[in-house]
């Protein structure tokens, strides 16, 4: 048990399947057996809010209603699998679960829309066990603006509520996630957050030009703030024009992030079950193949840092 993976969309698959897909066993990237085989220590499970489907299905305050629906699915899966995996709310929980031989699950929200500009909602989500919010997905919301091809949008900073929310999340002990956020928002998080943050599922923009990837200047700031980047396994994030994710591509991004942000910034952010299924190492059970490839470029100590030390350091500093 050694791998901390900072992002997957497995809950979304389950929530949208009307009970047909279970965490115990399914045909996606992540299930209990695959996690055990791959060496999982802790998995961040995102409740991704599919904004494009919201309003017509759920009406007013739709993303909040959807969150609660997906949350029930998450709780029931945790209950059904408690002999293998337990929810964790901080670093100590992960260690306790590990001592019991169990994997840990950390609940996150991808897309801040359910917050609806209300601090008390952030508290409510914290009380429900959410320990990370990906501030935006691909739309403007109460926190700020998403990554965009439009330079004006890309450069806008966080909204006033977004900046205030950073302080509140720091105080509560909730991780701030800049994946999907625009550049202006990223720089505001780096400036205003008093705790390290994460780019839970992003790659390096100088290697692949996906607009969600981080420029070298951003990577440098990630390093300077003691934050981490979880490398995303999506082929489009790894290589321009690619529709098959290769092990080599992942290694290349990790080497680049090491070079620009420092060894302390490199981590896993698979995006399993949120990306096309075509990966050279197939699914979570194939993680040892990635480790084997890393061993040709990184020392055993550095591989430990990638696998869990870096992510755990940020969890310890920013989550309570
Ligand atoms: Zn995402």
């Amino acid at each position: 048990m050694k791998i901390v993976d900072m992002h997957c969309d497995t809950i979304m698959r389950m929530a949208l399947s009307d009970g047909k897909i279970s965490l115990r066993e399914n045909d996606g990237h992540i299930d209990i057996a695959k996690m055990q085989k791959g060496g999982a220590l802790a998995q961040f499970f995102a409740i991704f809010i599919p904004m494009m489907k919201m309003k017509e299905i759920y009406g007013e305050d739709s993303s909040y209603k959807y969150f609660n629906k997906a949350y029930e699915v998450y709780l029931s899966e945790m209950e059904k699998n408690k002999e293998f995996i337990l929810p964790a709310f901080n670093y100590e929980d992960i260690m306790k679960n590990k001592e019991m031989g169990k994997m840990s699950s950390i609940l996150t929200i991808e897309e801040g829309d359910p917050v609806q500009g209300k601090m008390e909602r952030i508290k409510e989500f914290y009380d429900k066990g959410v320990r990370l919010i990906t501030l935006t997905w691909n739309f403007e919301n109460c926190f700020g603006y998403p990554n965009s091809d439009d330079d004006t949008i890309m450069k806008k900073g966080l909204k006033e509520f977004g900046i205030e929310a950073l302080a509140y999340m720091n105080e509560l002990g909730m991780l701030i996630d800049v994946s999907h956020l625009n550049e202006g928002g990223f720089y505001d998080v780096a400036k205003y957050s008093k705790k390290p943050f994460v780019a839970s599922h992003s790659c390096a923009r100088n290697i692949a030009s996906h607009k969600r990837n981080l420029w070298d200047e951003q990577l440098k700031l990630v390093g300077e703030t003691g934050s981490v980047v979880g490398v995303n396994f999506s082929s489009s994030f790894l290589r321009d024009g690619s529709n098959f994710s290769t092990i080599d591509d992942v290694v290349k991004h990790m080497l680049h992030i090491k070079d620009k942000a420092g060894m302390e910034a490199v981590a896993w952010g698979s995006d399993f079950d949120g990306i096309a299924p075509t990966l050279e190492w197939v699914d979570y059970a194939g993680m040892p193949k990635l480790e084997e490839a890393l061993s040709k470029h990184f020392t055993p100590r550095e591989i430990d840092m990638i696998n869990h030390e870096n992510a755990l350091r940020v969890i310890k500093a920013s989550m309570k």
Side-chain angles (χ1 to χ4, degrees):
M1 293 171 76
K2 54 190 169 182
I3 292 174
V4 179
D5 174 25
M6 299 194 299
H7 189 82
C8 76
D9 283 319
T10 312
I11 302 291
M12 170 191 69
R13 276 192 90 223
M14 298 189 308
L16 299 175
S17 80
D18 286 324
K20 285 188 198 81
I21 294 174
S22 76
L23 184 60
R24 184 70 63 92
E25 196 184 355
N26 65 60
D27 62 355
H29 289 135
I30 286 188
D31 64 21
I32 294 292
K34 286 166 191 153
M35 287 171 76
Q36 287 175 326
K37 215 170 157 194
L41 171 63
Q43 180 65 46
F44 285 51
F45 282 104
I47 291 185
F48 163 65
I49 313 290
M51 291 305 291
M52 51 292 182
K53 299 185 183 175
M54 286 293 98
K55 286 249 155 54
E56 70 266 29
I57 308 177
Y58 299 99
E60 206 48 41
D61 212 3
S62 53
S63 59
Y64 176 70
K65 287 178 192 154
Y66 173 81
F67 169 86
N68 285 321
K69 178 185 176 249
Y71 180 63
E72 291 305 319
V73 173
Y74 172 77
L75 289 183
S76 108
E77 287 296 336
M78 284 298 114
E79 180 60 28
K80 280 183 227 162
N81 293 287
K82 62 186 177 193
E83 57 183 298
F84 310 108
I85 188 165
L86 292 175
F89 308 104
N90 51 47
Y91 174 80
E92 288 73 25
D93 290 342
I94 297 171
M95 292 302 119
K96 259 185 263 163
N97 294 344
K98 188 188 176 195
E99 268 170 42
M100 290 188 283
K102 296 186 190 200
M103 301 181 285
S104 286
S105 162
I106 294 167
L107 182 62
T108 81
I109 300 180
E110 181 176 26
E111 164 63 80
D113 190 74
V115 170
Q116 290 289 304
K118 299 171 190 163
M119 289 297 172
E120 61 272 24
R121 279 269 170 96
I122 296 181
K123 179 67 165 63
E124 180 188 332
F125 294 136
Y126 176 86
D127 290 339
K128 284 178 163 163
V130 174
R131 286 298 180 273
L132 171 152
I133 299 177
T134 306
L135 300 184
T136 63
W137 186 56
N138 296 335
F139 299 105
E140 176 185 345
N141 66 20
C142 59
F143 290 90
Y145 304 86
N147 67 98
S148 172
D149 290 321
D150 181 334
D151 209 44
T152 324
I153 294 173
M154 202 56 152
K155 294 283 186 285
K156 284 184 184 204
L158 286 180
K159 294 182 180 175
E160 207 181 308
F161 175 81
I163 292 172
E164 284 168 20
L166 298 182
Y168 189 50
M169 288 170 72
N170 282 164
E171 183 194 315
L172 277 176
M174 256 175 150
L175 253 175
I176 295 155
D177 181 12
V178 298
S179 280
H180 288 276
L181 193 59
N182 66 342
E183 285 171 35
F186 170 93
Y187 286 110
D188 273 349
V189 170
K191 181 174 166 191
Y192 293 110
S193 176
K194 293 194 167 56
K195 302 271 176 72
F197 58 90
V198 303
S200 70
H201 56 304
S202 296
C203 295
R205 188 125 180 209
N206 269 36
I207 307 272
S209 69
H210 196 290
K211 62 182 181 230
R212 282 248 291 95
N213 286 345
L214 301 170
W215 296 109
D216 288 353
E217 190 194 328
Q218 293 177 290
L219 291 173
K220 197 167 161 266
L221 260 179
V222 166
E224 285 169 8
T225 52
S227 306
V228 293
V229 182
V231 169
N232 190 318
F233 294 165
S234 167
S235 59
S236 59
F237 283 61
L238 291 171
R239 186 156 38 92
D240 288 345
S242 165
N243 51 22
F244 182 70
S245 305
T246 71
I247 291 172
D248 257 11
D249 287 335
V250 173
V251 174
K252 222 175 269 175
H253 281 270
M254 288 194 154
L255 285 168
H256 188 84
I257 294 167
K258 176 191 172 184
D259 186 41
K260 301 300 169 191
M263 194 56 233
E264 290 74 17
V266 193
W268 298 111
S270 69
D271 213 353
F272 275 142
D273 291 322
I275 57 177
T278 45
L279 313 168
E280 189 182 347
W281 59 103
V282 187
D283 54 32
Y284 204 117
M287 290 300 286
K289 289 181 191 163
L290 284 169
E291 277 182 71
E292 197 192 312
L294 289 179
S295 70
K296 296 184 185 96
H297 305 271
F298 295 91
T299 65
R301 165 92 184 101
E302 288 177 327
I303 293 173
D304 282 346
M305 292 171 86
I306 296 170
N307 275 342
H308 54 265
E309 277 180 31
N310 292 338
L312 288 176
R313 183 192 74 243
V314 174
I315 289 169
K316 207 172 179 178
S318 306
M319 210 183 266
K320 58 188 182 202

